[in-house]
Amino acid sequence: MKDYFFDLADFAISKLTGTEVLLLKFEGEVSDFVRFNHGRVRQPLSVRQQHLALTLIDKQRQQRMSFALSGNKTEDCTLLLQQLNTIRARIPSIPIDPYLLYATACCHTDQIRRGVLPTIEQAIGDIVDQAMGLDLVGILSSGPVYRGFANSLGQRNWHEVDSFLFDWSIYHVADKAIKMSYSGTHWDRSQISQRIDTAREQLPYLAKEAMTIAPGEYPAYLSPVAVDELLSLLNWGGFSAKEQHTQQSVLQALINKAQSLSPAITLRENTLLGLAPAFDSVGFVRPDVITLIDAGQHADSLISPRTAQEYGLQTNGANESETMQSLELLPGNLDRATIMHHLDEGIYVSNLHYLNFSDRAACRMTGLTRFATFWVKQGKIVAPLNVMRFDDSLYRMLGDHLVGLTSDSEWMLSSDTYGQRSVRSSHVPGALLSKLRLTL
Amino acid sequence: MFVDIETIISRFKRLIPAVDECSLRIVEESAEWTAVRQDVAMPLTESRDYGAMITIRDGDGLGYAATSDLSDVGLRAALDRALDWMRLSKQRSVFSNQTFRLPRLKGRYRSATTQPFTWSIADRIEVLMNESRACKIDARVVDWQASLSTQHIRSALMTADSLASGDYVLQETDITIPALHVTVHEGGVTQTRSWGGRDNGFCQQGGYDVLERAGFIGSGPIAAQEALQLLAAPNCPSGKFDLLLMPDQLMLQIHESIGHPLELDRILGDERNYAGTSFVTLDMFGSYQYGSSLLNVTYDPTQATELASFAFDDEGAQAQRQYVIQNGILLRPLGGMQSNQRAQQIGYAFDAVATSRACAWNRPPIDRMSNLNIEPGNTTLDEMIASIEDGILMETNASWSIDDSRNKFQFGCEWGQRIRNGKRAEIVRNPNYRGISKTFWRSLAMVGDASTFEVMGTPYCGKGEPNQAIWVGHASPVCKFTGIDVFGAER
């Protein structure tokens, strides 16, 4: 795939004339998706797709065109030339772009991570066999993901990762379930059986009669997955330099030092830890680590090339939407094995669902508990809780009300597959809160 | 267009294997996005996407494979993969002892576009630039953007059986999505006002005629003025109020608390790991009091300009207008033929609603809501306002959250206005309300007449594993609800 993309790039670049500059972005995947319900196969699917995006630049004007490729080089070269000519014809009618910025330093990168992925027999067999007698629902996504960049200045970047993610829930009854995932680069059947066995052991907790508690404030433990849900919502403009410069960031009060988070909170965009490529769509190479929040205070922002040009900043290779791709919250010192003891009495939240902002200026978030959420008393699970809505400010949850973070983190691969498999990942610990505000 | 459907059909015909059913869905899509932010044209973006999905069914085995390689070799490879999946899923699928066959596939659909996409790039930019330049009416305007997205989608669906008689379904859809928003800031307070919502509520089928129906020309200064009004407005009060919801908020209310809970695949459990389940159970259909007797909800793929109008769904079922809720009683779920067959297998028989759809060539069809509308009543807007002693009018969705059973919801709007003693009073900012779907629709006290009816939609309805974001339409009149829990922001 790498040679195929670079051959296409060389072909396209050979067709440039005069002062034209061409940027090429490649995204592809060869994926198997197996969807399960009630421990059986619902939809098994394979997808082979590759898309090329051209950005033609001439005299400070730019035009973009992305299109599907067939994978047949002769056919794709013909198509590429057609699309190049189409956008070339449009360039003169496009206004000068004062915020156009693209990499000219020619930083090459080449990363290939090979794995051992499940065969299609394993994809179905390993899971259906293990799920026998269980109400298992979820999806296995597996296969290589490709990202590439090339430009007419000679830069070449390639990123290829074999990975899989089995993301599933085992239901006891109605909405009471245990949610789990298994992701990585080397498929191991025993890991599936180990996790499913763990779920079997936990199911009896869900069999207890569910409790409903009144709205109010309760001590709570948020699992790493739940903490990731909170932090991922900050991708809606939280760290975007553009949003910050137009007073729209949900973290504006933190940026303006009117608010702070707990000194235990240090949040980073850690490209080294993640699966996302180290280069952006116009060729800038990202630093290994960008510290966004340092000991509870705002540190850096995610700055795309366009924002950098508009506001006179230095880009750090952020994508156009200026969102975290490889999120890392540094761990604390609470022992996860004894977290129930630390919680003593309160709510154990394994998952949160459908978060949104209820008050952007206050960074107040709302959402719901989901899957296995329990009422804990004297450090022991009493009963599963019925769904509750929380509505609380991040400045309280990860500020005054944060007791501590666990000393170990979970590495989570995003399960997003809108259009293509996501390469976003998170490395996040659990969080113990003295109070979480529940409203409904 | 760039895909020669007849050539692909001839290739496919040579490959058809001996199975219960083999179908092919070809989709091609071209799209353009033009935007002007702060009077500067953003990079113009165009896309051309195409590919095909092969589906194999044999007994209870099922397999899908999608490819953008539409050559003989590419289709052959996809077919082989789908066959492998079919064989491996036999005796292990959710369709135990069921054989599902698509209907006879024959027919055509085309959007009722009155002004096709013929504008030049310069024309598109000029229209957006005019709106953009009209937004900066005050130093407190800190950000603004106008954009226009247009799509043309052509899809063909065929089976081995239908091709034997030379038939297939061909549908062509034009979508136009105008959007505009203005952000103002002063003294630590930021407010944004958009034209139809940040998620483009005025999207419809059609070409540039959509801009006329959306009132897009001239929307810039109105949005800017309203944003400044919000900046000066008090915070929305908290308490129990009568609530008057305008169509650009009702679309979200319909979507989240009627549409999603009625999707049959959710009720059958397919979505429990991702989008969620439903508080609605199979035994409720035909008797459950979903709302007050004023609530009439239709699945209506025949609204010519609405976003998800079509003649056939992606299982080839012919689409017809049907009541989903009538006089408040829940009648039928939103499920395609295959989901209905699964429900039938466990003892529940419904009339299928032709609403099984795929968002693109690389995803299989699942149950969607398509066009889901509240039918108009017979009360004028003035009569509704006059009936409210102390209430809040809310307009334009800004925040949405609902539980995985689609029951406990909390929604926020951009624009609020107090209603006192039957008259519109002061503007309020940051209006939010919360409730429970099971009881919320029973508090429906008045339904606006046809003069209050608006056709809205969203291009971003997300569900499915692998994920699928698809376009859906929601049309409704203004509606009044009583005794709703309303609240504002912290400042």
Side-chain angles (χ1 to χ4, degrees):
Chain A
M1 201 67 91
K2 179 176 152 187
D3 291 343
Y4 161 71
F5 166 56
F6 288 148
D7 286 352
L8 285 182
D10 290 342
F11 171 78
I13 289 163
S14 74
K15 301 298 177 187
L16 297 180
T17 60
T19 53
E20 289 176 341
V21 172
L22 187 65
L23 317 181
L24 301 98
K25 182 178 77 167
F26 178 85
E27 295 180 331
E29 66 184 54
V30 179
S31 296
D32 292 329
F33 299 105
V34 189
R35 192 173 194 198
F36 300 90
N37 188 10
H38 301 306
R40 300 176 74 82
V41 177
R42 170 66 184 92
Q43 283 174 323
L45 161 72
S46 292
V47 176
R48 183 182 185 89
Q49 64 182 36
Q50 48 265 319
H51 291 91
L52 186 65
L54 305 178
T55 302
L56 184 66
I57 299 163
D58 198 19
K59 299 180 179 65
Q60 198 66 21
R61 295 173 166 86
Q62 63 169 315
Q63 159 85 5
R64 299 175 180 177
M65 170 74 83
S66 69
F67 49 96
L69 298 169
S70 69
N72 176 302
K73 202 178 291 178
T74 309
E75 203 175 285
D76 287 339
C77 281
T78 305
L79 182 64
L80 197 163
L81 194 54
Q82 281 171 3
Q83 304 304 341
L84 184 62
N85 287 333
T86 299
I87 57 177
R88 177 178 282 140
R90 290 182 184 168
I91 284 265
S93 59
I94 293 169
I96 284 174
D97 185 352
Y99 307 136
L100 170 64
L101 182 67
Y102 55 93
T104 54
C106 284
C107 291
H108 307 289
T109 58
D110 190 352
Q111 182 174 48
I112 298 178
R113 291 194 215 173
R114 296 260 181 255
V116 179
L117 301 175
T119 63
I120 63 172
E121 289 80 8
Q122 289 170 317
I124 288 182
D126 286 0
I127 292 169
V128 172
D129 294 350
Q130 301 287 334
M132 194 76 74
L134 293 172
D135 185 3
L136 181 147
V137 55
I139 187 166
L140 171 69
S141 311
S142 171
V145 170
Y146 311 98
R147 300 285 187 270
F149 176 81
N151 66 21
S152 55
L153 307 175
Q155 182 169 333
R156 297 289 182 272
N157 304 87
W158 185 252
H159 181 84
E160 178 177 340
V161 180
D162 289 342
S163 69
F164 63 84
L165 170 62
F166 178 35
D167 183 71
W168 82 97
S169 321
I170 293 178
Y171 272 78
H172 168 63
V173 66
D175 61 352
K176 302 293 181 291
I178 290 164
K179 167 95 172 171
M180 290 189 152
S181 67
Y182 169 43
S183 58
T185 55
H186 289 69
W187 183 256
D188 179 356
R189 186 178 194 273
S190 68
Q191 290 287 324
I192 300 284
S193 57
Q194 208 173 10
R195 283 166 167 78
I196 289 181
D197 286 347
T198 303
R200 280 183 202 275
E201 288 165 18
Q202 293 176 355
L203 276 175
Y205 291 115
L206 294 177
K208 295 183 178 182
E209 189 176 349
M211 284 174 60
T212 297
I213 55 176
E217 293 185 336
Y218 298 91
Y221 170 71
L222 305 181
S223 75
V225 181
V227 173
D228 183 46
E229 287 280 352
L230 291 180
L231 297 176
S232 294
L233 194 61
L234 297 178
N235 264 340
W236 294 13
F239 296 107
S240 157
K242 185 194 103 181
E243 295 291 293
Q244 293 171 4
H245 277 263
T246 54
Q247 305 294 326
Q248 295 179 81
S249 167
V250 291
L251 293 173
Q252 213 66 45
L254 185 75
I255 293 153
N256 298 339
K257 301 191 186 306
Q259 288 281 3
S260 62
L261 294 169
S262 160
I265 299 296
T266 293
L267 185 70
R268 315 195 301 185
E269 167 74 352
N270 189 332
T271 301
L272 278 183
L273 265 185
L275 280 189
F279 50 89
D280 71 4
S281 61
V282 292
F284 287 99
V285 173
R286 298 184 178 121
D288 292 345
V289 173
I290 302 168
T291 301
L292 302 169
I293 296 174
D294 188 9
Q297 306 292 325
H298 176 252
D300 212 337
S301 305
L302 296 170
I303 307 165
S304 70
R306 188 170 188 83
T307 297
Q309 192 75 345
E310 182 171 359
Y311 295 103
L313 308 170
Q314 188 79 32
T315 182
N316 49 25
N319 58 17
E320 285 191 11
S321 54
E322 298 178 330
T323 54
M324 297 177 281
Q325 296 298 297
S326 306
L327 179 162
E328 181 194 25
L329 177 65
L330 295 189
N333 50 21
L334 294 177
D335 179 6
R336 188 135 57 119
T338 57
I339 203 67
M340 295 289 202
H341 169 72
H342 289 295
L343 177 59
D344 185 38
E345 182 167 346
I347 310 165
Y348 181 103
V349 181
S350 64
N351 297 80
L352 293 173
H353 176 64
Y354 221 133
L355 274 63
N356 208 318
F357 292 104
S358 53
D359 181 353
R360 292 177 65 89
C363 200
R364 204 174 84 198
M365 301 170 168
T366 188
L368 299 119
T369 61
R370 193 178 184 190
F371 299 116
T373 297
F374 298 104
W375 179 251
V376 173
K377 196 169 182 181
Q378 294 180 327
K380 290 192 166 51
I381 289 176
V382 175
L385 277 182
N386 285 320
V387 167
M388 292 297 294
R389 172 173 292 286
F390 79 94
D391 191 336
D392 211 341
S393 164
L394 192 74
Y395 300 125
R396 283 190 290 262
M397 291 185 285
L398 298 186
D400 297 344
H401 296 171
L402 180 68
V403 176
L405 301 171
T406 59
S407 56
D408 63 325
S409 296
E410 273 186 32
W411 187 81
M412 292 165 275
L413 177 60
S414 169
S415 62
D416 283 0
T417 47
Y418 286 105
Q420 61 184 1
R421 281 164 57 214
S422 171
V423 289
R424 198 175 70 79
S425 64
S426 306
H427 197 247
V428 172
L432 187 65
L433 278 53
S434 61
K435 292 175 187 169
L436 176 66
R437 186 176 295 172
L438 305 180
T439 55
L440 186 66
Chain B
M1 300 306 285
F2 37 95
V3 170
D4 179 353
I5 288 176
E6 294 299 331
T7 301
I8 298 164
I9 287 174
S10 65
R11 290 173 187 158
F12 177 63
K13 276 181 172 175
R14 293 195 292 269
L15 297 172
I16 292 170
V19 291
D20 286 349
E21 186 166 271
C22 176
S23 68
L24 177 71
R25 184 167 49 83
I26 307 163
V27 181
E28 61 172 358
E29 181 179 340
S30 57
E32 284 185 48
W33 182 76
T34 318
V36 172
R37 176 173 170 259
Q38 296 194 16
D39 307 345
V40 173
M42 302 283 281
L44 187 85
T45 304
E46 293 182 66
S47 65
R48 308 272 184 270
D49 196 13
Y50 66 86
M53 173 73 80
I54 290 177
T55 306
I56 300 284
R57 292 185 176 86
D58 196 64
D60 67 350
L62 174 70
Y64 299 90
T67 182
S68 55
D69 182 356
L70 303 179
S71 66
D72 284 309
V73 173
L75 290 172
R76 173 85 254 172
L79 182 82
D80 288 345
R81 193 67 162 182
L83 283 166
D84 287 342
W85 285 125
M86 179 275 290
R87 290 186 198 106
L88 284 165
S89 64
K90 271 192 175 181
Q91 310 298 315
R92 289 161 152 171
S93 80
V94 297
F95 310 103
S96 53
N97 304 315
Q98 294 176 55
T99 303
F100 175 73
R101 302 296 293 267
L102 298 184
R104 184 171 175 227
L105 301 176
K106 184 180 183 182
R108 299 287 183 268
Y109 172 82
R110 183 157 193 144
S111 292
T113 303
T114 57
Q115 294 179 46
F117 306 124
T118 53
W119 287 2
S120 67
I121 292 169
D123 292 339
R124 289 170 74 116
I125 292 174
E126 186 186 349
V127 165
L128 297 173
M129 190 65 80
N130 288 342
E131 291 313 314
S132 172
R133 286 184 175 140
C135 290
K136 181 71 176 172
I137 59 172
D138 188 286
R140 293 168 293 177
V141 175
V142 293
D143 197 21
W144 63 99
Q145 177 171 304
S147 67
L148 178 61
S149 172
T150 53
Q151 288 169 268
H152 180 78
I153 303 160
R154 189 166 68 133
S155 70
L157 176 65
M158 63 212 70
T159 61
D161 289 349
S162 68
L163 287 179
S165 50
D167 297 332
Y168 62 92
V169 164
L170 181 65
Q171 306 196 89
E172 293 193 63
T173 307
D174 297 326
I175 289 175
T176 294
I177 307 172
L180 180 139
H181 66 87
V182 180
T183 299
V184 296
H185 175 81
E186 184 180 38
V189 176
T190 300
Q191 289 288 311
T192 294
R193 188 73 176 115
S194 64
W195 199 249
R198 288 293 285 262
D199 289 309
N200 318 325
F202 283 125
C203 49
Q204 290 186 355
Q205 280 191 25
Y208 296 109
D209 43 307
V210 175
L211 297 192
E212 288 180 6
R213 291 196 292 273
F216 187 73
I217 308 299
S219 62
I222 297 172
Q225 283 158 9
E226 291 186 353
L228 290 168
Q229 283 181 270
L230 288 171
L231 204 55
N235 210 356
C236 181
S238 297
K240 295 271 186 199
F241 290 94
D242 285 354
L243 180 63
L244 199 61
L245 292 183
M246 307 306 276
D248 62 356
Q249 169 57 23
L250 263 170
M251 62 169 274
L252 188 278
Q253 184 74 53
I254 296 166
H255 184 92
E256 302 286 15
S257 77
I258 296 179
H260 279 307
L262 299 191
E263 288 162 348
L264 189 49
D265 59 347
R266 289 181 76 113
I267 298 170
L268 292 169
D270 291 351
E271 290 285 333
R272 290 175 296 165
N273 185 57
Y274 177 63
T277 179
S278 176
F279 72 90
V280 174
T281 51
L282 292 169
D283 57 328
M284 289 180 176
F285 293 96
S287 60
Y288 183 71
Q289 188 77 43
Y290 204 95
S292 78
S293 60
L294 297 173
L295 183 64
N296 289 290
V297 179
T298 54
Y299 158 79
D300 190 358
T302 66
Q303 277 274 352
T305 60
E306 201 166 351
L307 203 54
S309 292
F310 47 78
F312 303 90
D313 74 0
D314 289 328
E315 288 176 345
Q318 196 151 10
Q320 296 171 350
R321 180 175 181 270
Q322 287 173 291
Y323 273 89
V324 173
I325 298 171
Q326 194 163 29
N327 300 325
I329 302 294
L330 182 61
L331 296 183
R332 56 177 58 85
L334 297 168
M337 288 182 295
Q338 192 164 46
S339 293
N340 272 277
Q341 189 172 315
R342 289 167 65 198
Q344 204 165 8
Q345 187 86 358
I346 51 175
Y348 295 92
F350 309 113
D351 295 335
V353 174
T355 192
S356 184
R357 299 165 62 206
C359 71
W361 61 269
N362 58 5
R363 296 289 183 264
I366 53 175
D367 294 336
R368 310 303 303 226
M369 57 188 87
S370 302
N371 288 342
L372 191 68
N373 306 337
I374 292 182
E375 294 297 308
N378 50 21
T379 313
T380 66
L381 181 59
D382 287 346
E383 287 168 344
M384 296 170 92
I385 291 171
S387 74
I388 297 174
E389 196 173 318
D390 190 7
I392 312 275
L393 175 154
M394 292 192 199
E395 190 173 309
T396 319
N397 182 257
S399 174
W400 59 98
S401 174
I402 189 164
D403 72 30
D404 64 315
S405 300
R406 297 284 149 167
N407 212 7
K408 289 183 175 181
F409 65 79
Q410 179 170 312
F411 301 141
C413 293
E414 288 179 2
W415 178 266
Q417 186 170 23
R418 197 79 187 257
I419 299 172
R420 297 178 198 274
N421 302 316
K423 290 192 168 54
R424 289 181 188 250
E426 73 272 18
I427 307 303
V428 293
R429 70 182 182 218
N430 306 318
N432 291 266
Y433 64 102
R434 61 169 78 98
I436 294 175
S437 299
K438 267 183 185 173
T439 52
F440 178 79
W441 292 101
R442 294 177 193 170
S443 68
L444 175 65
M446 282 183 169
V447 178
D449 63 15
S451 70
T452 72
F453 188 80
E454 286 191 58
V455 176
M456 311 293 296
T458 174
Y460 307 120
C461 173
K463 65 180 278 197
E465 290 180 306
N467 303 152
Q468 302 196 43
I470 206 165
W471 54 101
V472 299
H474 299 300
S476 85
V478 178
C479 289
K480 175 188 153 184
F481 302 85
T482 53
I484 305 302
D485 192 9
V486 167
F487 60 99
E490 293 186 9
R491 55 173 297 212

